[in-house]
Amino acid sequence: MSLFTSLRSQSPAEAPMQLERMDAFWKVYRQENQAIAQVVDIKQSKLVDKEFDVIVCGGTLGIFIASALQRCGWRVAVIEQGLLRGRAQEWNISRQELNVFTELNLLTEAELEQAIATVYNPARVGFQGGKELWVKDILNIGIDPIYLLEVLKQKFLDAGGILFEQTGFKQATVYDNGISVEILPKRSLDSGGTESIRGRLLLDVMGHFSAIAKQARSQVSGNLKPDGVCMVVGSCAKGMPSKPYGDLIYSFTPIQRQCQYFWEAFPARDGRTTYMFTYVDADPMRPSFTELMEDYLFWLPKYQEVKLEQLQFERFLLGFFPSYKQNPLQTPWHRILQVGDSSGMQSPLSFGGFGAMLRHLPRLTDSLNSALAGDWLTSADLRSLQPYQPNLSVTWLFQKSMSVAVNQQIEADRINYLLNVTFTEMEKLGDRVLYPFLQDVVQFMPLAQTMLAMSIADPVLVIKIMKQVGGGTLLDWLKHYLGLGLYSGLNQVADTFAPAIANLLPEQQYQWQNRLTKWRYGSGGDYHKSLAKTCEKFPDVIDDRPTTKMETTEKANCGADSQ
Ligand SMILES: Cc1cc2nc3c(=O)[nH]c(=O)nc-3n(C[C@H](O)[C@H](O)[C@H](O)COP(=O)(O)OP(=O)(O)OC[C@H]3O[C@@H](n4cnc5c(N)ncnc54)[C@H](O)[C@@H]3O)c2cc1C
């Protein structure tokens, strides 16, 4: 009997179905010839009435941008196929990333505090055979998505926003002056009777597997297969030994099944969350979720120093995050833009899509507000809102060096060894190098310093990694690395353009603003302002660890992750 099956009495009833469904989806997803539904078409004529300025399809992160644009005075509708409701599992994030909610007036300070379910410190970074690093205030806040989405939804409705819940997006037609969206309310499922609403702009916030994003990718690159996939299995369970600290990334096993397993752990309101994740590709030979779950349950007792029989699983967590070298996705259509996971605006290493959304929300809100005001909604205008970001593209080298191809032979401890060298050198270089990297922000100088330090510390390893990732990846990386240098330089001198931009025509001003924003975000220049607030190292952690006091909010019950 599998470990997963043996835990039936300690697990939610729906767990086996959840695993089965995920595996069925994962199997189909890896097939070469995926069907591509044509959900967007174009008509060269004009729409007469448009009842909305913005139609947001997909409500999870969609409600964030919908609320922000509504606050700017636009008529916004949200279409959500289910109920607009957050998931039970917390989203982990760093504190300063949350300020965007109050800065954009989406939440009051009190509401934001209420949304924080857990707070812990410190977090560990460690790889088998190496030294452990301890960091503070990184991804150490657990946000309660149920509360967060409920508050945003109520405020959106109170301010006159229109929400179509239990209503699926079916089809969109782009006209010269607007967009018509066909929707299928659940009540009409039997009859198949769709309705249509019209607006000026459609935001596709339907996640990684959005039908619009799929059609867009097939048009833009013809390639639907992702270049990389991060697979995640995990759980939130009661009965774990109480530990005040979390793990940001931790490994304690060599490569197995052509996968290097990494772990994350956090105190959670319902117990302790643990994830096991691995960087792979979409090859059909890759393990199934059932196999990964067995490995997760096999290693979990060693990882958390607990017996499986002691655990009560509140929920199992499964997911995979496809990523493409051509990210962010560039919309091929006028009046349609991808936002959130569908846009691919996070690195292939991260599965923090909520965090990525918050980082980009201020610039997206500003730019979309200007675009709507000026009616600059052509595909070229919108592509400038999800531009090429060299700091995302350079991370492909890391993705490749942290994964093993299905037929590749490398030493079983290669990835652990590489990461030990990398993080040791980063730590020596200081917080300004280590902290942004751990928050999925890569910058030119810190990267240059790390690469140089690694080449000096272990030149043989660097040569081995070059062989492991291959010449194509290296050349590609070099191109993006030079791009990162260029963007960093341009971002440094961006302020000198400001007086000249003020004298331009409005549309030119808008284009220049987008260019400046592109350099700032594409070089990781958006990060430095907030760093000062968090850049404090956990002092002498190993000795202090047992007495470290975990911070908790009043309602959080992080200390009770043992029972
Ligand atoms: C196990 C796991 C752990 C994670 N942990 C973190 C974390 O700690 N921190 C973090 O920042 N991120 C985390 N993430 C990532 C985060 O959950 C996602 O980035 C986020 O949910 C993306 O939101 P989205 O709205 O873009 O896409 P989705 O979450 O995929 O939501 C898409 C929405 O669109 C709706 N939709 C889809 N199709 C249609 C349709 N045809 N019509 C109408 N509506 C439709 C769906 O119902 C859904 O509401 C985690 C993800 C997983 C799986």
Side-chain angles (χ1 to χ4, degrees), residues 317-362:
L317 303 153
L318 309 166
F320 70 93
F321 309 92
S323 48
Y324 295 82
K325 289 186 174 160
Q326 281 195 352
N327 270 351
L329 175 59
Q330 296 271 283
T331 181
W333 303 294
H334 305 324
R335 299 183 182 277
I336 297 182
L337 181 71
Q338 271 69 35
V339 174
D341 278 4
S342 65
S343 68
M345 63 182 170
Q346 73 220 54
S347 87
L349 299 177
S350 160
F351 57 94
F354 164 65
M357 178 70 172
L358 291 193
R359 190 176 314 142
H360 290 272
L361 193 59

Side-chain angles (χ1 to χ4, degrees), residues 22 56-63 79-85 87 89-93 97 139 141 149 164 166-170 183 204-211 232-234 264 266 273 275 316-321 339-343 346 350-357:
M22 181 54 102
V56 175
C57 298
T60 299
L61 295 185
I63 191 68
I79 301 166
E80 168 52 51
Q81 67 182 359
L83 292 172
L84 205 170
R85 190 168 189 274
R87 61 180 201 174
Q89 179 62 29
E90 288 105 337
W91 275 317
N92 274 83
I93 188 144
E97 289 175 323
L139 299 181
I141 307 253
L149 264 61
F164 298 92
Q166 300 205 301
T167 299
F169 160 87
K170 294 306 288 176
I183 55 178
D204 166 16
V205 201
M206 292 186 284
H208 284 299
F209 310 108
S210 149
V232 188
V233 293
E264 274 189 64
F266 311 107
T273 300
Y275 291 127
F316 284 102
L317 303 153
L318 309 166
F320 70 93
F321 309 92
V339 174
D341 278 4
S342 65
S343 68
Q346 73 220 54
S350 160
F351 57 94
F354 164 65
M357 178 70 172

Side-chain angles (χ1 to χ4, degrees), residues 72-350:
C72 302
W74 301 108
R75 298 165 302 165
V76 184
V78 175
I79 301 166
E80 168 52 51
Q81 67 182 359
L83 292 172
L84 205 170
R85 190 168 189 274
R87 61 180 201 174
Q89 179 62 29
E90 288 105 337
W91 275 317
N92 274 83
I93 188 144
S94 311
R95 182 69 179 82
Q96 86 277 4
E97 289 175 323
L98 292 171
N99 293 340
V100 65
F101 283 119
T102 47
E103 282 161 15
L104 293 178
N105 281 325
L106 299 179
L107 297 180
T108 63
E109 288 285 353
E111 287 162 345
L112 180 54
E113 289 313 312
Q114 181 80 13
I116 296 176
T118 56
V119 184
Y120 77 89
N121 260 318
R124 179 170 64 163
V125 174
F127 306 98
Q128 191 181 34
K131 154 180 172 240
E132 292 173 351
L133 295 183
W134 293 86
V135 292
K136 223 184 150 203
D137 296 340
I138 297 189
L139 299 181
N140 65 318
I141 307 253
I143 287 289
D144 173 359
I146 296 180
Y147 173 80
L148 178 62
L149 264 61
E150 187 55 31
V151 175
L152 292 174
K153 169 175 154 178
Q154 285 312 325
K155 289 184 148 188
F156 175 74
L157 292 173
D158 292 347
I162 303 294
L163 171 62
F164 298 92
E165 266 180 324
Q166 300 205 301
T167 299
F169 160 87
K170 294 306 288 176
Q171 185 94 31
T173 308
V174 184
Y175 289 83
D176 295 342
N177 63 339
I179 186 154
S180 164
V181 179
E182 252 181 73
I183 55 178
L184 180 61
K186 198 174 171 197
R187 61 182 144 73
S188 317
L189 268 183
D190 291 341
S191 65
T194 56
E195 298 169 12
S196 86
I197 57 173
R198 289 156 300 274
R200 296 169 58 208
L201 171 69
L202 183 159
L203 296 180
D204 166 16
V205 201
M206 292 186 284
H208 284 299
F209 310 108
S210 149
I212 303 184
K214 194 170 175 181
Q215 187 184 338
R217 279 213 191 269
S218 76
Q219 273 183 230
V220 171
S221 65
N223 177 25
L224 275 186
K225 244 192 173 178
D227 298 296
V229 174
C230 176
M231 293 177 79
V232 188
V233 293
S235 71
C236 183
K238 288 196 165 85
M240 298 269 192
S242 185
K243 290 180 183 166
Y245 63 92
D247 286 335
L248 277 188
I249 177 163
Y250 191 76
S251 73
F252 55 96
T253 52
I255 294 165
Q256 60 183 102
R257 294 188 197 271
Q258 297 296 90
C259 293
Q260 174 65 60
Y261 294 146
F262 300 103
W263 295 75
E264 274 189 64
F266 311 107
R269 198 162 43 185
D270 295 339
R272 192 166 177 85
T273 300
T274 48
Y275 291 127
M276 185 184 90
F277 59 100
T278 184
Y279 300 113
V280 291
D281 50 33
D283 194 292
M285 309 258 289
R286 291 296 183 182
S288 65
F289 278 87
T290 304
E291 288 167 315
L292 277 199
M293 184 56 83
E294 280 303 290
D295 289 349
Y296 165 78
L297 292 171
F298 178 81
W299 290 114
L300 184 63
K302 180 173 179 200
Y303 177 45
Q304 291 294 306
E305 295 154 329
V306 69
K307 291 199 167 100
L308 287 181
E309 307 82 86
Q310 288 169 251
L311 297 178
Q312 182 59 43
F313 291 93
E314 293 295 301
R315 51 191 165 266
F316 284 102
L317 303 153
L318 309 166
F320 70 93
F321 309 92
S323 48
Y324 295 82
K325 289 186 174 160
Q326 281 195 352
N327 270 351
L329 175 59
Q330 296 271 283
T331 181
W333 303 294
H334 305 324
R335 299 183 182 277
I336 297 182
L337 181 71
Q338 271 69 35
V339 174
D341 278 4
S342 65
S343 68
M345 63 182 170
Q346 73 220 54
S347 87
L349 299 177
S350 160

Side-chain angles (χ1 to χ4, degrees), residues 297-515:
L297 292 171
F298 178 81
W299 290 114
L300 184 63
K302 180 173 179 200
Y303 177 45
Q304 291 294 306
E305 295 154 329
V306 69
K307 291 199 167 100
L308 287 181
E309 307 82 86
Q310 288 169 251
L311 297 178
Q312 182 59 43
F313 291 93
E314 293 295 301
R315 51 191 165 266
F316 284 102
L317 303 153
L318 309 166
F320 70 93
F321 309 92
S323 48
Y324 295 82
K325 289 186 174 160
Q326 281 195 352
N327 270 351
L329 175 59
Q330 296 271 283
T331 181
W333 303 294
H334 305 324
R335 299 183 182 277
I336 297 182
L337 181 71
Q338 271 69 35
V339 174
D341 278 4
S342 65
S343 68
M345 63 182 170
Q346 73 220 54
S347 87
L349 299 177
S350 160
F351 57 94
F354 164 65
M357 178 70 172
L358 291 193
R359 190 176 314 142
H360 290 272
L361 193 59
R363 76 161 181 92
L364 283 173
T365 306
D366 266 8
S367 304
L368 284 171
N369 185 31
S370 304
L372 286 160
D375 210 22
W376 302 313
L377 300 170
T378 65
S379 54
D381 293 324
L382 295 174
R383 280 200 283 261
S384 72
L385 304 189
Q386 292 292 18
Y388 163 67
Q389 291 180 44
N391 66 342
L392 276 192
S393 303
V394 289
T395 59
W396 274 102
L397 182 70
F398 313 141
Q399 201 275 359
K400 291 287 169 215
S401 58
M402 289 164 78
S403 58
V404 196
V406 280
N407 297 318
Q408 197 172 25
Q409 293 301 319
I410 60 171
E411 301 99 312
D413 66 347
R414 165 82 62 80
I415 296 174
N416 283 322
Y417 184 75
L418 165 72
L419 291 168
N420 276 320
V421 174
T422 310
F423 278 88
T424 304
E425 295 310 315
M426 278 191 180
E427 193 200 18
K428 283 189 208 156
L429 290 165
D431 294 347
R432 292 213 156 262
V433 171
L434 187 61
Y435 273 64
F437 186 79
L438 287 173
Q439 289 176 80
D440 205 30
V441 179
V442 175
Q443 296 165 322
F444 181 70
M445 277 314 288
L447 181 57
Q449 288 171 290
T450 309
M451 294 290 200
L452 183 66
M454 285 176 66
S455 315
I456 295 168
D458 200 332
V460 178
L461 173 68
V462 174
I463 293 167
K464 282 186 183 173
I465 296 298
M466 286 170 151
K467 272 177 75 183
Q468 179 186 331
V469 301
T473 302
L474 273 179
L475 270 180
D476 216 34
W477 178 81
L478 193 61
K479 190 177 76 192
H480 298 305
Y481 180 64
L482 294 174
L484 181 60
L486 180 66
Y487 272 45
S488 302
L490 289 168
N491 185 46
Q492 296 290 325
V493 297
D495 285 348
T496 55
F497 293 97
I501 293 173
N503 296 323
L504 296 173
L505 295 171
E507 186 163 2
Q508 292 169 323
Q509 283 192 28
Y510 168 72
Q511 286 161 350
W512 268 98
Q513 282 308 338
N514 285 344
R515 214 162 277 153

